[in-house]
């Protein structure tokens, strides 16, 4: 009896890919550092929400509560002397994760002269060129093209730096994002495109807004590899960052990280978030909270409840001092209206 023909071999792709990331194996000291940074972001954002309600913060204010593991996990792997970061308008957490003083961030939120952008950037437009943090951008998706430019600068100057460019699931459908993808891959630019997929963009579920809702695949037609990451697990985030950085630093071009995360608050302080139920939000808090996850890991390593309480008290003190500073420091002089408009004087 004749043998049936063997099934056709699955064609192998000729495209190299980064290795599948593994959770970062953190020491007790590193876990404590991750915990402190995430808790600082959480308590800072809670305080910012309070100050907004009291009228000390005006305009728009987008809180990072729930997404702390992304910024902390990714940015803990960066070289602060060489690498650059750029993001959208949900930016307070990224600045705190980069070790910038909470006082000057809170002062910026309240529009004070001591703010990191002298009170003229506010919540959405903070910068620190000293820390290679290039904003805070209000135009949805615009930071992706600017980040591609930063990556070009790293390559042109051969400084060894990598750009980390954050954007959300809503911005993932913007046209300039794909122009940037194409250019970044053609020129093999050192950039990691980070999609913070918090599921709802401004208020529409990613499943309703995106024909392809597996956003890590968005670079396939540009030959950019993508990795989907648990953005509620700081160790998974750090592990993914290390693989992505190894790929980019080796000169292999850009990579996409889709961070599956979740924001607990509305899109901004003015968003009642009626597009999802309270039960859904509470369910994520109960099952996947990034801070509680690390807290359990620390307890398993012998960190006591008393130790964690001490950390909590220290961070609340830091945040309260930042708020007091922001409320008491003066507003910018009126002459500041005419500065930082042009590079040169005319």
């Amino acid at each position: 009896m004749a043998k049936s023909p063997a099934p056709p071999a699955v064609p192998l792709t000729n495209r190299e890919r980064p290795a599948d990331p593994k959770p970062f194996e953190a020491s007790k000291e590193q876990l404590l550092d991750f915990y402190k940074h995430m808790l600082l972001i959480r308590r800072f954002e809670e305080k910012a929400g309070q100050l907004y309600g009291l009228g000390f913060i005006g305009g728009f204010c987008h809180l990072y509560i729930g997404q702390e593991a992304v910024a902390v996990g990714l940015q803990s792997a960066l070289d602060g002397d060489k690498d650059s970061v750029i993001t959208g308008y949900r930016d307070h957490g990224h600045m705190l994760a980069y070790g910038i003083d909470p006082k000057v961030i809170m002062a910026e939120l309240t529009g004070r002269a001591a703010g990191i952008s002298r009170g003229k950037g506010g919540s959405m437009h903070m910068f620190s060129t000293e820390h290679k943090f290039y904003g805070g951008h209000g135009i949805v998706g615009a930071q992706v093209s600017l980040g591609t430019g930063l990556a070009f600068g790293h390559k042109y100057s051969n400084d060894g730096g990598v750009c980390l460019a954050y954007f959300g699931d809503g911005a993932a459908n913007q046209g300039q994002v794909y122009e940037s993808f194409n250019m970044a891959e053609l020129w093999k630019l050192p950039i990691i495109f980070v999609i913070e997929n918090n599921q709802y963009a401004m208020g529409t579920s990613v499943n309703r807004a995106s024909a392809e809702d597996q956003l890590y695949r968005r670079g396939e037609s540009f030959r950019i590899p993508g990795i989907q990451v648990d953005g509620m697990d700081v160790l998974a985030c750090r592990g993914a960052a290390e693989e992505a950085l190894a790929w980019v630093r080796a000169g292999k071009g850009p990579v996409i990280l889709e961070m599956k995360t979740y924001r607990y608050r509305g899109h901004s302080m003015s968003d009642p978030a009626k597009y999802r139920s309270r039960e859904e939000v509470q369910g994520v808090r109960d099952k996947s909270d990034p801070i509680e996850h690390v807290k359990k890991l620390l307890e398993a390593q012998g960190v006591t409840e008393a130790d964690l309480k001490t950390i909590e008290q220290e961070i609340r003190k830091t945040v309260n001092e930042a708020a007091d500073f922001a409320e008491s420091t003066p507003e910018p002089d009126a002459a500041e209206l005419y500065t930082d408009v042009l590079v040169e004087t005319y």
Side-chain angles (χ1 to χ4, degrees):
M1 182 177 177
K3 292 183 179 179
S4 57
V10 177
L12 297 174
T13 177
N14 60 357
R15 298 183 196 173
E16 187 184 2
R17 285 185 51 81
D20 290 335
K22 297 176 182 177
F24 180 65
E25 295 183 8
S27 66
K28 182 178 175 180
E29 289 70 27
Q30 288 170 319
L31 269 180
L32 277 167
D33 189 58
F34 293 156
Y35 180 76
K36 290 175 183 177
H37 273 92
M38 289 195 294
L39 192 60
L40 174 62
I41 294 171
R42 178 73 57 90
R43 299 295 176 247
F44 182 97
E45 294 291 67
E46 290 169 349
K47 179 61 74 173
Q50 291 173 9
L51 294 182
Y52 188 93
L54 293 170
F56 285 103
I57 297 173
F60 292 99
C61 184
H62 307 80
L63 302 181
Y64 202 64
I65 297 172
Q67 300 182 211
E68 297 91 351
V70 177
V72 172
L74 296 185
Q75 288 169 226
S76 66
L78 296 183
D79 184 329
D81 294 326
K82 297 189 297 185
D83 299 329
S84 58
V85 174
I86 191 167
T87 186
Y89 40 73
R90 197 181 307 280
D91 56 355
H92 320 156
H94 302 96
M95 297 197 88
L96 290 166
Y98 230 20
I100 299 172
D101 185 355
K103 288 184 178 179
V104 298
I105 301 174
M106 195 70 87
E108 188 60 38
L109 290 178
T110 55
R112 307 303 171 117
I116 199 160
S117 295
R118 297 206 290 279
K120 299 192 292 183
S123 171
M124 297 170 66
H125 302 286
M126 292 186 278
F127 279 72
S128 175
T129 52
E130 176 190 354
H131 290 85
K132 292 185 170 54
F133 183 89
Y134 294 95
H137 294 272
I139 304 299
V140 176
Q143 73 274 18
V144 182
S145 299
L146 295 170
T148 303
L150 289 170
F152 179 79
H154 286 307
K155 183 165 185 174
Y156 187 79
S157 61
N158 196 29
D159 62 11
V162 171
C163 177
L164 201 65
Y166 291 94
F167 58 106
D169 48 295
N173 293 320
Q174 291 285 321
Q176 70 265 34
V177 170
Y178 298 96
E179 295 178 45
S180 302
F181 283 178
N182 190 56
M183 191 175 291
E185 176 59 26
L186 281 171
W187 293 347
K188 298 293 185 187
L189 299 182
I191 184 167
I192 300 171
F193 295 109
V194 180
I195 306 174
E196 291 193 272
N197 182 0
N198 63 23
Q199 319 295 321
Y200 285 100
M202 285 185 69
T204 303
S205 165
V206 65
N207 312 105
R208 293 178 58 214
S210 299
E212 173 54 271
D213 61 6
Q214 300 301 301
L215 302 182
Y216 72 99
R217 297 175 178 168
R218 289 297 183 90
E220 286 182 358
S221 60
F222 303 97
R223 300 185 177 231
I224 299 175
I227 302 169
Q228 193 174 68
V229 185
D230 181 357
M232 303 299 276
D233 181 345
V234 70
L235 300 181
C237 294
R238 173 63 184 265
E242 298 210 337
E243 285 299 337
L245 285 165
W247 173 271
V248 174
R249 292 200 201 281
K252 296 177 180 179
V255 66
I256 293 171
L257 296 179
E258 181 195 0
M259 317 303 291
K260 294 294 292 288
T261 185
Y262 197 86
R263 58 172 167 77
Y264 296 165
R265 300 289 185 92
H267 171 70
S268 69
M269 287 297 296
S270 59
D271 172 20
K274 292 182 178 179
Y275 42 82
R276 60 185 183 181
S277 68
R278 290 183 179 181
E279 290 75 20
E280 178 185 315
V281 179
Q282 191 59 48
V284 176
R285 277 183 175 270
D286 292 341
K287 295 177 183 176
S288 306
D289 187 80
I291 295 173
E292 288 300 314
H293 173 61
V294 174
K295 189 175 180 179
K296 290 174 183 174
L297 294 176
L298 286 170
E299 288 170 347
Q301 291 207 21
V303 178
T304 66
E305 188 67 35
D307 294 332
L308 295 173
K309 191 171 183 179
T310 300
I311 292 169
E312 173 81 41
Q313 290 169 342
E314 290 171 353
I315 285 173
R316 285 189 183 275
K317 182 173 182 285
T318 298
V319 170
N320 287 334
E321 287 174 351
D324 292 342
F325 176 77
E327 290 175 38
S328 60
T329 192
E331 294 182 351
D333 188 271
E336 279 287 345
L337 284 169
Y338 304 100
T339 65
D340 301 321
V341 178
L342 301 170
V343 174
E344 299 176 23
T345 301
Y346 292 90

